[in-house]
Amino acid sequence: MPLQLHPATSPSMTRGASLLKWSFVFIILTGCASSSLEGTKPQNETNKNYKSPSNNLTGSSEPAPRLPPTPENCSDHSQLGSVVCPENHQCHELSKECLKCDFNCTCVYGQEVNVTCKPRVSCKGRQEITVSMICRYCYQTSHWEHTCLGNNQCRAVHSPRETFTSNCTVNSDVLCLGNRVFRKKLYCNWTSGYKWSTALLLSITLGGFGADRFYLGHWQEGIGKLFSFGGLGVWTIIDVILIAIRYLGPADHSLYI
């Protein structure tokens, strides 16, 4: 049988390997112990080492004091424009747009307050007038308290309904904060005088001859209905339904009256 050879191991090599193994075990145990001690550090020591961020503007650690907000300028800077204020009349009879008032910009919205006003023109009587008003800006007034310019260039009959920006002026008997002339977005709602009842009546009686289309300004479709006898009745019935539900309107995209 063949001989098997075994590497020779001395007692010194065995002791060295055992010492190296126990050295690794000691290092691992020491690292675990140190990490557990750091995790149990008292909270107050951690807070002592923390420093609050300093204020970059003042250089101190305290927060900067908050300044009170500046109220919005609520004086009327709009010009009188076409408004003519009568002179040599009683001061208390002047309209609100002919008065220059000292408004309280910090009043509460909707609250009734008294303001002191002076006339913009020369008048008779006491020059300082106390007027009662509701705390609100002019653009916050109700739609019946201001008048807006219309626009007949937009399409009132359109989906979605078109809007336009109009110049609005507060009525002379209303006193409010800010400019009395302001811009407001409105829905397009102008009319040319076409009546819905007339259009529906023409569509029922003379729709086969295109009378409804001619009345509403759709003259091209009216000629088509006239020479086709209302599309043999089909087109006439369809137009009656479209006018009845107000889907078919004037050709200039205005509203019925």
Side-chain angles (χ1 to χ4, degrees), residues 168-209:
C168 302
T169 305
V170 182
N171 298 338
S172 59
D173 59 338
V174 177
L175 189 62
C176 51
L177 306 178
N179 295 343
R180 299 184 65 85
V181 180
F182 57 93
R183 298 175 67 84
K184 183 178 181 181
K185 181 174 289 187
L186 301 173
Y187 284 109
C188 188
N189 59 351
W190 66 283
T191 179
S192 297
Y194 293 97
K195 293 184 177 181
W196 172 79
S197 58
T198 303
L200 182 60
L201 181 62
L202 290 175
S203 182
I204 295 174
T205 57
L206 301 175
F209 301 100

Side-chain angles (χ1 to χ4, degrees), residues 208-224:
F209 301 100
D212 51 353
R213 289 281 181 168
F214 284 118
Y215 173 74
L216 295 175
H218 304 282
W219 59 270
Q220 294 177 338
E221 291 83 353
I223 294 175

